Amino acid sequence: MTWKRLISCEFYAIFTNIPLLVTVFGGVIIYSFLYPLPYINQTPQEQSIAVINLDDSQLSRTIERMANATPQVNITQQVYSIEEAKALLIEGHITGFLLIPQHFYRDLLLEKSPHLLFAGNASYFLVYGTVIEGLVRSTSTLAAEVKVSRMVMRGDNIALASSQYSAIGLNLKPTFNASLGYLNYIVPAVFVLILHQTLLIALGLLTAGQYENKVKSQPISKLQSSYWLIYPVWRVLLVRSLLMLTIYLVLFSFYFGYSFESYGINRLATIPDLMTLAFPFLLSVIFLGTVVGLLIPRKELATLVVLLSSLPLVFSAGFIWPTSNMPTVINIITQFFPSTPAINGFLRLNQMGDSIDNLVQIQMQLWSLTLLYAMIAGVLMTKKQGELNRMIKSS
């Protein structure tokens, strides 16, 4: 039996496995279009709000016009009590409201500090943040105008008053995600997880399909001709890992090339740097998937086991919630999944412009996981192969 024969057998096993092909090519390509679709607009805009204007003065109507001019909010309702506004909020007709209290204009003239009330549906934190940002921006502008007017009335120069109405000037600039968009924030990390999960399922289906319990009930003549029982374990693992690595390098390039370009997502890393991290990431997932396939009794369980792990892996990777605020035991466990260091590594490399030289620890972790899971896969596969060969000889 030659290397050429082994490669052709492995190639045939991969490309005739329909569930595997649907998972690998269908899953990766469909998700590349489906997942970013809801976030194309980057941030929620034009959120419907209501206004309760109890002052009904010229200044209070100016506040309404200024709030309505911001891109964040759109005043769609005029109501006359907080109860009416709360009912609209609960029914979902609006996402927030602004209350202008009675005697607002009079209190300003008396140099008191009247309070405006903002409310938003904080169950949707992005929507809430958008509504509050729009209202704060418009009312802050009005507050600055009032302050400058008072300084001018006291005899200050208008140019000086315009530049010195606040003791501290702010220059806020978001770093790495300049648009503050959801697409740039979530999609690069989720794409890495999609590659991780689909590759795990593919290796689980392929390996479990060859070594699952019901294989023992197959005719002996069929088992004797199975290439994965004839060839040494290390050769089967080597050829399988290289074939799957080749397939996933193409899919990896599709995600980090075409998909990122078409969605306008940052691409700060060079191709050699990306490949330096992609090789240990994909190899570690391939061997972990092989281990999963050798441990489960039926191939159907591969999809179920991997899908159940998806949400915990997303929320423990550190890009949604800080790892410093998670239990230590969860942080330790997730470090054994290649997705955790890979997501952090690719985000630092491609989205934050970090140098590959600063990611040595992540590279070492991924190569260590590759070695660990390759050894476990080799031991488990040797054991399974030995059991089946002894069964063939004894029959």
Side-chain angles (χ1 to χ4, degrees):
M1 300 289 280
T2 62
W3 282 97
K4 184 179 178 181
R5 173 68 179 159
L6 175 59
I7 293 172
S8 63
C9 288
E10 193 70 27
F11 193 86
Y12 181 81
I14 293 172
F15 284 93
T16 56
N17 191 325
I18 301 301
L20 185 152
L21 294 178
V22 170
T23 301
V24 171
F25 295 103
V28 170
I29 294 173
I30 290 173
Y31 268 119
S32 72
F33 296 103
L34 190 63
Y35 190 80
L37 202 58
Y39 315 117
I40 289 293
N41 292 326
Q42 295 278 7
T43 55
Q45 299 286 321
E46 294 286 326
Q47 296 301 304
S48 299
I49 67 166
V51 171
I52 311 166
N53 190 347
L54 302 180
D55 188 54
D56 200 24
S57 63
Q58 182 182 356
L59 187 64
S60 65
R61 288 191 288 274
T62 302
I63 294 176
E64 289 185 35
R65 287 195 296 274
M66 293 177 72
N68 209 28
T70 63
Q72 288 85 10
V73 298
N74 179 27
I75 298 175
T76 58
Q77 304 271 354
Q78 292 279 353
V79 295
Y80 301 97
S81 67
I82 291 181
E83 285 69 27
E84 287 182 68
K86 284 173 67 177
L88 290 172
L89 189 65
I90 292 170
E91 292 169 3
H93 298 299
I94 58 172
T95 55
F97 62 84
L98 164 66
L99 171 65
I100 305 174
Q102 197 174 16
H103 306 310
F104 175 75
Y105 182 50
R106 185 196 68 183
D107 290 345
L108 273 179
L109 292 177
L110 294 174
E111 299 196 4
K112 294 181 179 179
S113 297
H115 289 83
L116 294 171
L117 188 149
F118 306 151
N121 186 355
S123 300
Y124 304 96
F125 65 93
L126 283 176
V127 171
Y128 174 78
T130 301
V131 170
I132 298 303
E133 181 189 355
L135 294 177
V136 167
R137 183 174 293 179
S138 57
T139 52
S140 298
T141 304
L142 182 68
E145 287 182 6
V146 171
K147 199 165 186 178
V148 170
S149 299
R150 287 176 179 170
M151 293 174 71
V152 171
M153 290 172 66
R154 288 170 185 157
D156 291 339
N157 180 280
I158 187 168
L160 199 62
S162 301
S163 61
Q164 295 184 350
Y165 70 91
S166 176
I168 299 174
L170 296 177
N171 186 9
L172 305 176
K173 293 208 177 282
T175 309
F176 305 130
N177 182 9
S179 64
L180 294 176
Y182 202 69
L183 196 69
N184 283 316
Y185 155 64
I186 198 78
V187 168
V190 171
F191 272 9
V192 176
L193 188 72
I194 291 171
L195 292 172
H196 181 274
Q197 298 299 78
T198 54
L199 187 50
L200 275 184
I201 294 174
L203 266 298
L205 288 171
L206 181 61
T207 310
Q210 293 173 340
Y211 290 95
E212 62 184 342
N213 290 340
K214 66 181 181 184
V215 168
K216 295 176 182 176
S217 60
Q218 290 182 356
I220 296 300
S221 57
K222 186 176 180 181
L223 280 176
Q224 285 175 325
S225 61
S226 300
Y227 74 95
W228 37 273
L229 287 179
I230 300 171
Y231 280 97
V233 166
W234 70 271
R235 290 176 69 176
V236 175
L237 282 176
L238 179 63
V239 170
R240 181 167 301 176
S241 60
L242 290 178
L243 282 177
M244 293 304 294
L245 178 65
T246 304
I247 294 170
Y248 263 78
L249 280 176
V250 174
L251 297 173
F252 177 87
S253 303
F254 170 72
Y255 267 9
F256 281 75
Y258 170 79
S259 294
F260 277 26
E261 178 70 25
S262 61
Y263 293 120
I265 298 172
N266 290 342
R267 291 188 306 157
L268 302 177
T270 63
I271 293 177
D273 286 349
L274 284 174
M275 290 300 155
T276 302
L277 213 53
F279 273 98
F281 164 58
L282 295 176
L283 283 173
S284 59
V285 181
I286 288 169
F287 289 120
L288 175 59
T290 306
V291 171
V292 171
L294 290 165
L295 290 176
I296 56 178
R298 303 193 312 274
K299 62 182 179 182
E300 293 82 6
L301 293 176
T303 305
L304 180 63
V305 170
V306 175
L307 284 181
L308 285 176
S309 69
S310 296
L311 276 180
L313 288 177
V314 167
F315 286 101
S316 58
F319 66 97
I320 291 179
W321 189 253
T323 54
S324 57
N325 291 354
M326 293 182 194
T328 305
V329 64
I330 291 180
N331 284 329
I332 293 173
I333 291 172
T334 54
Q335 294 305 315
F336 287 92
F337 291 89
S339 60
T340 302
I343 287 174
N344 288 307
F346 284 118
L347 287 181
R348 286 175 57 183
L349 191 65
N350 206 35
Q351 270 44 66
M352 301 179 184
D354 202 354
S355 168
I356 190 68
D357 296 331
N358 295 332
L359 302 178
V360 173
Q361 187 177 349
I362 289 177
Q363 292 178 59
M364 293 300 295
Q365 183 178 353
L366 289 171
W367 281 116
S368 300
L369 291 176
T370 302
L371 183 62
L372 173 67
Y373 292 129
M375 291 172 62
I376 295 174
V379 171
L380 291 176
M381 194 176 281
T382 302
K383 184 180 175 184
K384 293 262 187 181
Q385 199 180 62
E387 288 176 1
L388 289 171
N389 281 326
R390 282 194 294 274
M391 189 183 76
I392 293 171
K393 288 178 182 177
S394 62
S395 60

